[in-house]
Amino acid sequence: MSVEQTVLVLGGTGRTGGRVVEQLLGRGAAVRAIVRTAERLPAGVAQHPNMTVVVADLLSLNATELEQYVRGCDAVVSCLGPNLSLKGVFGAPRDLVVEAVTRVCRAIERIQPATPVKFILMSTVSVNRPQRLDTRRGGAERAFMWLLRGVMPPAKDNQRAADFLSTDIGTASRSVQWVAVRPDSLLEGDVSEYAVHEGLVSSLFRPDGTNMANVAHFMCELVTDSGVWDKWQGGMPVVVNVARSTAR
Ligand SMILES: NC(=O)c1ccc[n+]([C@@H]2O[C@H](COP(=O)([O-])OP(=O)(O)OC[C@H]3O[C@@H](n4cnc5c(N)ncnc54)[C@H](OP(=O)(O)O)[C@@H]3O)[C@@H](O)[C@H]2O)c1
């Protein structure tokens, strides 16, 4: 890959985001990570010569600061999500992902990059593609999802973030192109064989598994392989392990 690629990673201290940071550095990219706590990054990455760590509360950054951090980036990868605790899931901010995606995309638009910046969002299979492009879910599943979005703020947040990309950014922006990557239940494990589908392949009641390492791998492919990007940009691909895992 080209060593000139610079990638801003959001959520780089998370389980998937940390893997993205490691894999991008392994591919020779320069990585900028905005994190709340540098110590939560994977061991050794903060010292990597191609790594820049910005310690800040992402949603507290003002417009000028955000413009500074996106300037010169070829891609942005967001693996943000609430921490899995009562406070993380039900406390503020209840709109972490959509707020971060909106503010960062707007910052990119304001700096008017010479070529569009790739925005790669870690989404989930509970998110629907617009215009009912996914296979229609069964009645029980639709009712469950309706309930989920009503009572679980992160479920609504994830859908709103994907809707922002598909509706507000769309496919005609000169500044931002995007992909919302939809993994199924997240699993530990190394990079393994995985499949990428245009739409949903499993019911929420009989989920597939997706190694976080595979999510990171596919996101890195989107950053570094123009053929992969051209195939999926403006889409919401579903990523699942080829082998069904028993280790959930
Ligand atoms: N669980 C699943 O099976 C599943 C399946 C598919 C998709 N997903 C989605 O995938 C995404 C990432 O999942 P994950 O398990 O890799 O995430 P994770 O390990 O929980 O990491 C979340 C990241 O978001 C950051 N973050 C949380 N609250 C923040 C705030 N208020 N301000 C700034 N940063 C904040 C965390 O930073 P700190 O380290 O500072 O806390 C961390 O870097 C989530 O959106 C999730 O909904 C999950």
Side-chain angles (χ1 to χ4, degrees):
M1 74 161 276
S2 153
V3 286
E4 291 88 34
Q5 295 252 23
T6 299
V7 186
L8 175 65
V9 178
L10 312 176
T13 54
R15 300 183 305 161
T16 313
R19 289 167 162 94
V20 170
V21 170
E22 288 179 313
Q23 291 188 28
L24 284 171
L25 290 171
R27 290 173 185 233
V31 176
R32 291 178 195 169
I34 302 176
V35 299
R36 297 190 290 188
T37 317
E39 291 71 28
R40 287 172 62 85
L41 283 163
V45 303
Q47 292 74 39
H48 194 287
N50 287 350
M51 184 78 189
T52 305
V53 181
V54 178
V55 178
D57 179 359
L58 181 62
L59 296 188
S60 300
L61 295 174
N62 64 32
T64 312
E65 290 168 322
L66 280 177
E67 287 166 25
Q68 177 194 334
Y69 296 132
V70 296
R71 199 177 295 281
C73 285
D74 302 285
V76 178
V77 177
S78 170
C79 295
L80 290 167
N83 294 330
L84 293 179
S85 63
L86 271 181
K87 189 168 170 239
V89 171
F90 293 104
R94 291 181 154 210
D95 50 6
L96 167 69
V97 182
V98 68
E99 271 300 314
V101 171
T102 304
R103 291 184 198 188
V104 170
C105 285
R106 294 303 186 213
I108 295 168
E109 288 176 328
R110 286 194 300 277
I111 64 168
Q112 300 186 336
T115 51
V117 173
K118 299 171 174 178
F119 194 104
I120 301 162
L121 172 67
M122 181 165 177
S123 184
T124 152
V125 287
S126 68
V127 161
N128 291 326
R129 269 197 295 172
Q131 297 158 353
R132 302 192 172 179
L133 283 171
D134 282 320
T135 313
R136 193 163 158 78
R137 302 179 198 260
E141 196 176 341
R142 291 204 305 279
F144 175 71
M145 286 187 44
W146 179 80
L147 193 65
L148 199 67
R149 294 208 185 100
V151 298
M152 297 288 284
K156 190 174 174 187
D157 186 27
N158 278 327
Q159 184 67 55
R160 288 180 64 211
D163 289 347
F164 169 80
L165 290 176
S166 62
T167 307
D168 294 68
I169 299 296
T171 50
S173 169
R174 290 186 184 181
S175 302
V176 184
Q177 296 179 343
W178 58 271
V179 173
V181 175
R182 294 186 292 172
D184 212 311
S185 302
L186 296 177
L187 302 171
E188 297 290 338
D190 296 330
V191 176
S192 61
E193 196 181 350
Y194 62 87
V196 184
H197 302 274
E198 209 166 308
L200 299 174
V201 284
S202 302
S203 151
L204 288 179
F205 299 137
R206 193 171 181 278
D208 277 307
T210 314
N211 286 6
M212 287 174 273
N214 290 339
V215 182
H217 185 271
F218 180 59
M219 288 177 143
C220 293
E221 291 286 291
L222 287 166
V223 171
T224 62
D225 187 325
S226 57
V228 176
W229 181 260
D230 290 344
K231 177 169 183 185
W232 293 109
Q233 69 121 328
M236 299 193 188
V238 171
V239 181
V240 289
N241 292 353
V242 167
R244 268 190 179 265
S245 172
T246 50
R248 290 201 178 154

